């Protein structure tokens, strides 16, 4: 399969064949990601990271991936240090970075910004998160983690316990799961349940899912428990966000009801929903998950740059 030049803007419409291929390629980069092997296949290639929003994992794992493969990185983590501050448009900014680099990763607080970026340059554009819309590379690394740790994705029961309404991670992950034989349980207090738009799409895709308010009803069935913080910056009313705080969490007593080989995942940053008290349990796999972001991003960079 040739993914040279491909933009990775959304998981909606990605085929199972494409996803499986990316995950297969990812497994070949684990040793390089861990610094145990050398594969300098991106020498002379330049990545531009355009981060209009804060990031720890996404930006630095892309940087680590690019540099360990022999490539280089330019970019910014604060647009105020660029001519965006003077009023330059997103489209022009991307056009310029397209002249200075071979591949672009963008994170931006407006929905659709990654698509605008992709239309503004011939260079491949990878969406590192646009508003509450999409975060495709997170979803792909989550699938990789699940396949790697559970040996399969098909046949699993996955419980997503999160602020579904405001989470781009949950959106991208749900669409990606739709390619597999997975039962999804969306657990959340009603105000944080899935957006109508995503739910409509899941129905169209024939996804097997159920919405629930109480984690107690499904915990014993879960193969994967995926949790995610309340996205307080995306609430119109910050007081509402405060009210939702503490409405769900992975506690030690909850884990007592889980199957012994269940895994707990979290895209990070984790807050109260994923307390440090569970870190030492065998369920906690979120730090491994963060590591798998590097081989996954190595695979994507190599594929879209035609160097794999
Ligand atoms: C997520 C994001 O930015 O959407 N972070 C990440 O990339 N791992 C999750 C979040 O901000 O809560």
């Amino acid at each position: 399969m040739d993914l040279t030049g491909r933009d990775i803007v959304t998981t909606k419409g990605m085929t199972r064949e494409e996803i499986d291929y990316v995950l297969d390629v990812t497994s070949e980069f684990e040793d390089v990601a861990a610094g145990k092997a050398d594969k300098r296949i991106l020498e002379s290639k330049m990545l531009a990271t355009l981060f209009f929003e804060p990031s720890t994992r996404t930006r630095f794992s892309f940087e680590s991936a690019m540099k360990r493969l022999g490539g280089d990185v330019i970019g910014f983590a604060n647009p105020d240090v660029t001519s965006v501050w003077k009023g330059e448009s997103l489209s022009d900014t991307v056009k310029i970075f397209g002249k200075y680099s071979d591949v672009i990763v963008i994170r931006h607080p407006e929905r659709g910004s990654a698509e605008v970026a992709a239309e503004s340059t011939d260079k491949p554009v990878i969406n590192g998160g646009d508003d509450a819309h999409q975060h495709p590379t997170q979803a792909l690394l989550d699938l990789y983690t699940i396949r790697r740790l559970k040996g399969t994705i098909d046949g699993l029961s996955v419980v997503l316990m999160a602020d579904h309404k405001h989470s781009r991670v949950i959106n991208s992950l749900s669409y990606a799961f739709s390619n597999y034989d997975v039962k999804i349980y969306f657990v959340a207090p009603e105000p944080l349940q899935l957006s109508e738009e995503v739910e409509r799409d899941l129905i169209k895709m024939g996804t097997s899912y159920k919405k629930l308010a109480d984690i107690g009803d499904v915990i014993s069935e879960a193969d994967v428990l995926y949790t995610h913080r309340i996205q307080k910056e995306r609430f119109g009313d910050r007081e509402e966000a405060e009210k939702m705080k503490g409405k769900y969490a992975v506690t030690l007593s909850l884990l007592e009801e889980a199957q012994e080989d269940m895994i707990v995942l979290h895209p990070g940053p984790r807050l109260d929903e994923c307390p440090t008290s569970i870190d030492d349990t065998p369920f906690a796999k979120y730090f491994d998950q963060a590591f798998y972001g590097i081989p996954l991003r190595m695979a994507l960079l190599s594929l879209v740059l035609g160097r794999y």
Side-chain angles (χ1 to χ4, degrees):
M1 187 177 300
D2 188 5
L3 297 180
T4 309
R6 260 282 286 271
D7 299 313
I8 312 285
V9 167
T10 172
T11 53
K12 189 171 163 182
M14 272 189 101
T15 65
R16 176 169 178 149
E17 213 190 353
E18 284 165 350
I19 296 176
D20 283 342
Y21 179 61
V22 170
L23 305 191
D24 289 345
V25 173
T26 299
S27 62
E28 293 181 35
F29 285 99
E30 268 194 35
D31 280 354
V32 195
K36 293 181 192 154
D38 249 350
K39 213 183 221 159
R40 301 182 67 81
I41 58 176
L42 295 186
E43 245 158 26
S44 82
K45 292 292 184 187
M46 183 68 78
L47 164 68
T49 56
L50 317 188
F51 277 67
F52 294 78
E53 262 188 12
S55 170
T56 297
R57 277 149 287 262
T58 305
R59 185 160 75 93
F60 291 104
S61 62
F62 264 114
E63 275 208 27
S64 175
M66 192 69 189
K67 289 184 176 172
R68 282 208 195 267
L69 292 178
D72 215 334
V73 184
I74 55 170
F76 58 83
N78 174 1
D80 286 352
V81 302
T82 71
S83 287
V84 170
W85 184 82
K86 303 177 192 169
E88 188 162 41
S89 68
L90 174 62
S91 174
D92 279 2
T93 304
V94 171
K95 274 195 179 76
I96 297 305
F97 277 96
K99 299 287 178 204
Y100 298 166
S101 65
D102 305 294
V103 55
I104 292 174
V105 178
I106 180 169
R107 170 171 286 187
H108 196 282
E110 270 166 49
R111 181 191 168 106
S113 48
E115 248 162 308
V116 171
E119 282 159 14
S120 307
T121 175
D122 294 340
K123 303 290 166 65
V125 169
I126 301 176
N127 186 1
D130 61 324
D131 188 37
H133 183 220
Q134 280 283 314
H135 193 349
T137 66
Q138 181 68 46
L140 293 170
L141 82 87
D142 296 339
L143 289 194
Y144 182 75
T145 305
I146 293 170
R147 195 177 87 167
R148 176 77 166 72
L149 300 180
K150 303 293 292 181
T152 177
I153 299 170
D154 289 312
L156 298 182
S157 291
V158 179
V159 176
L160 306 179
M161 183 167 68
D163 171 4
H164 307 303
K165 184 176 174 190
H166 301 104
S167 170
R168 55 193 176 202
V169 170
I170 296 292
N171 291 349
S172 287
L173 191 54
S174 307
Y175 290 137
F177 273 141
S178 294
N179 287 289
Y180 297 85
D181 173 24
V182 168
K183 239 195 276 169
I184 312 178
Y185 294 97
F186 292 100
V187 175
E190 187 49 38
L192 304 184
Q193 267 297 357
L194 273 189
S195 71
E196 269 176 42
E197 180 196 352
V198 175
E199 191 165 2
R200 236 182 292 124
D201 285 339
L202 295 184
I203 293 170
K204 257 193 244 156
M205 292 169 183
T207 313
S208 163
Y209 76 93
K210 206 166 165 185
K211 296 194 290 183
L212 302 159
D214 190 355
I215 180 70
D217 294 338
V218 277
I219 185 67
S220 60
E221 220 188 290
D223 297 299
V224 177
L225 172 56
Y226 191 105
T227 190
H228 189 197
R229 75 182 170 96
I230 290 180
Q231 308 278 294
K232 68 171 190 290
E233 67 276 29
R234 302 201 181 103
F235 278 69
D237 177 355
R238 287 286 168 108
E239 267 176 37
E240 269 307 301
E242 277 305 307
K243 274 193 223 153
M244 288 298 139
K245 246 172 94 177
K247 291 275 185 207
Y248 58 83
V250 186
T251 57
L252 284 172
S253 61
L254 180 71
L255 292 175
E256 276 172 23
E257 295 170 53
Q259 302 182 54
E260 59 180 33
D261 60 349
M262 186 191 79
I263 57 171
V264 176
L265 301 181
H266 193 304
R270 52 107 167 243
L271 303 173
D272 306 343
E273 71 288 341
C274 186
T276 53
S277 55
I278 70 162
D279 286 0
D280 292 333
T281 69
F283 303 102
K285 299 295 180 198
Y286 27 87
F287 290 110
D288 297 329
Q289 177 187 8
F291 166 73
Y292 293 133
I294 301 182
L296 182 277
R297 289 171 172 127
M298 285 177 162
L300 284 178
L301 290 168
S302 309
L303 288 167
V304 301
L305 288 169
R307 286 279 180 97
Y308 174 70

